[in-house]
């Protein structure tokens, strides 16, 4: 379609997966490709928005080459939080599509961690520190009234209904205006595969279901966001 319902809007999208360093060459990471966040950025630009894409370890070849999309590269959750917050200060909507590590190594060594020479000694355990919940912070602490905050939740569960229950609890806990829940498993959710999401509001109620490609999911979400932006300004 040729809808420009996001014209004049600035939206911030996080994409990819954070890497939490253990030492100069090793990290704790995840399998998020960044494709859903990139589909969101491309769709928003097509609908007229100015986009800030905070990209956590997204392959260069996947990044959109569009003058309406400003890319800010980050690696860790703490860097992602700084970049998202800075951009969110003047954004109409923030969509957290990145897979953010809940924990990071409590310390990062400046030298490569080595195994003891000739030793059978047990390795040192990795101590973890808790990362902030960026989405919950953004939802609780809005720099602009009427700003729309959106999250994604990849849920595993014993079937879709169970995954949805987890999503409901998460929606209430995080306080985002919209939470797009999808069930992930062996073959679903990650990478270049079709996606299916149930969109919940902050009370955990189902407001929409969207399926198909990541672009279709993105467009369904932007339609909901655009509606909320109009409602907030009337
Ligand atoms: O709790 P969970 O990781 O399932 O929540 C997913 C949503 O929360 C995503 O939108 C993700 O970007 C966001 N998140 C966050 N900060 C974290 C963990 C997740 O913003 N530390």
């Amino acid at each position: 379609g040729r809808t420009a319902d996001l014209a004049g809007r600035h939206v911030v999208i996080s994409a990819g997966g954070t890497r939490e360093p253990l030492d100069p060459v090793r990290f704790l990471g995840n399998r998020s490709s960044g494709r859903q966040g990139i589909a969101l950025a491309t769709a928003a630009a097509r609908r007229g928005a100015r986009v800030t894409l905070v990209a956590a370890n997204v392959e260069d070849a996947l990044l959109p080459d569009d003058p309406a999309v400003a890319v800010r590269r980050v690696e860790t959750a703490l860097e992602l939080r700084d970049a998202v917050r800075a951009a969110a200060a003047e954004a109409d909507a923030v969509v957290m599509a990145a897979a953010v590590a809940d924990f990071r190594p409590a310390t990062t060594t400046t030298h490569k961690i080595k195994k003891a020479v000739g030793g059978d000694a047990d390795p040192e355990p990795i101590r973890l520190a808790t990362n902030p919940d960026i989405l919950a912070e953004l939802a609780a602490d809005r720099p602009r009234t009427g700003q729309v905050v959106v999250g994604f939740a990849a849920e595993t569960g014993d079937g879709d209904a169970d995954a949805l229950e987890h999503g409901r609890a998460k929606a209430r806990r995080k306080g985002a205006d919209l939470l797009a829940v999808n069930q992930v498993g062996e073959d679903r959710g990650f990478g270049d595969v079709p996606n299916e999401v149930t969109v919940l509001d902050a009370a955990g109620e189902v407001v929409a279901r969207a399926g198909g490609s990541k672009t279709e999911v993105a467009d369904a979400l932007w339609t909901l966001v655009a509606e909320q932006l109009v409602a907030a300004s009337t």
Side-chain angles (χ1 to χ4, degrees):
R2 301 189 59 80
T3 162
D5 55 356
L6 296 175
R9 306 291 192 183
H10 175 212
V11 303
V12 178
I13 300 156
S14 69
T18 64
R19 291 179 177 177
E20 311 296 325
L22 280 158
D23 71 14
V25 296
R26 303 185 181 98
F27 55 82
L28 302 180
N30 62 70
R31 296 185 191 280
S32 177
S33 67
R35 283 185 172 87
Q36 182 63 71
I38 285 154
L40 281 157
T42 304
R46 170 170 36 79
R47 294 168 77 142
R50 182 165 70 80
V51 179
T52 302
L53 177 63
V54 178
N57 310 294
V58 176
E59 242 180 88
D60 280 349
L62 293 179
L63 292 171
D65 183 20
D66 182 328
V69 181
V71 178
R72 308 261 179 277
R73 284 189 178 72
V74 297
E75 289 195 11
T76 68
L78 294 177
E79 289 168 7
L80 187 142
R81 178 210 218 180
D82 285 348
V84 168
R85 280 189 174 201
E90 22 150 16
D92 298 290
V94 184
V95 181
M96 287 291 297
V100 181
D102 292 320
F103 307 103
R104 64 182 181 275
T107 56
T108 302
T109 63
T110 53
H111 297 99
K112 264 180 79 177
I113 299 165
K114 293 197 165 37
K115 52 190 170 192
V117 179
D120 291 327
D122 285 338
E124 286 297 315
I126 296 168
R127 286 182 202 290
L128 299 174
T130 303
N131 278 330
D133 188 321
I134 301 163
L135 178 61
E137 283 181 356
L138 289 164
D141 222 0
R142 306 199 191 201
R144 291 174 72 166
T145 51
Q147 185 177 76
V148 179
V149 175
V150 183
F152 272 80
E155 299 294 345
T156 54
D158 189 11
D160 288 341
D162 190 41
L164 189 60
E165 260 329 293
H166 290 292
R168 255 185 235 290
K170 191 165 290 180
R172 296 189 189 112
R173 202 163 63 235
K174 300 228 178 197
D177 301 298
L178 299 168
L179 185 73
V181 180
N182 65 327
Q183 201 194 358
V184 294
E186 297 200 353
D187 221 23
R188 299 172 65 181
F190 286 109
D192 192 16
V193 293
N195 214 347
E196 216 176 279
V197 304
T198 302
V199 185
L200 306 178
D201 64 15
E205 299 302 327
V206 175
V207 294
R209 290 181 200 278
S213 68
K214 292 189 176 186
T215 297
E216 288 170 301
V217 169
D219 275 313
L221 267 178
W222 288 127
T223 296
L224 294 169
V225 170
E227 283 169 11
Q228 294 214 355
L229 287 172
V230 169
S233 64
T234 50

